[in-house]
Amino acid sequence: MGVHLDGPMGAGVSRLEVIEGPSGRRRRTKAERARIAAESMMPGVTVADVARKHGTTRWQIYDWRKQLRKGNLVVPESVASLPVFAELVVDDSSAEPAVSVTRSDLEIVVGDVVIRAGADADEEQLTRAIRAARAAAS
C-alpha cells in the first residue's frame, strides 16, 4: 500500500491517525439519541463524559435533551423503568385556596387585650407582649 503525505521532503511525521469506517456523519436512531440524552441526565453523570463515551459532542447531547423535553424523542422503556425517572402528574383538582387557620398554643388575657402565642414563642417575646398589653390597658 502506498501512502503519500503532503509536506516538505525529509520532514518526519510525528503522528498519523487512521480512521476506519464509513466516511461522513454517524447516523443515530431516535432511540439511541433518547437513550444517550437520558443517560446524560442521570445523577452524578456529566454531559462531557457521556459525549466522550459515545463519540459525540456536548452540544449534540444538549440538543437531544431539549428534543427529549419537547417530546420529539421518547425515552426507551428500559430507561424509563429505572427508579431515577418518575412520571410527573399535575393535579389541579385541589386548586381551591387553603383556608388559613391560626392556632395558638397559649392565650393570655390582659384586660381587654388577648395575646395568642405559638409554641415557638420565647420568654422574652412573651414578656414584651404582656408589658405592652398592660401599658395599653392602663
Side-chain angles (χ1 to χ4, degrees), residues 10-112:
V13 177
S14 62
R15 180 175 174 186
L16 176 65
E17 188 172 336
V18 177
I19 301 174
E20 294 182 15
S23 62
R25 300 171 122 186
R26 178 173 178 177
R27 299 298 244 177
R28 296 187 192 270
T29 65
K30 281 190 168 191
E32 284 178 306
R33 291 182 293 196
R35 184 183 50 75
I36 292 170
E39 180 182 337
S40 74
M41 293 183 204
M42 299 293 242
V45 175
T46 65
V47 173
D49 289 339
V50 174
R52 204 171 7 266
K53 176 181 172 185
H54 294 284
T56 187
T57 65
R58 292 175 301 160
W59 311 117
Q60 186 65 68
I61 293 178
Y62 286 126
D63 183 57
W64 295 341
R65 287 168 67 156
K66 184 168 44 170
Q67 289 179 28
L68 196 63
R69 284 191 299 272
K70 287 182 177 180
N72 298 337
L73 292 177
V74 179
V75 178
E77 189 63 36
S78 61
V79 176
S81 64
L82 293 175
V84 293
F85 284 93
E87 183 178 348
L88 175 64
V89 177
V90 178
D91 183 13
D92 288 342
S93 64
S94 64
E96 299 172 15
V99 178
S100 176
V101 177
T102 56
R103 182 182 154 269
S104 60
D105 297 319
L106 176 66
E107 190 171 295
I108 301 170
V109 179
V110 179
D112 293 338

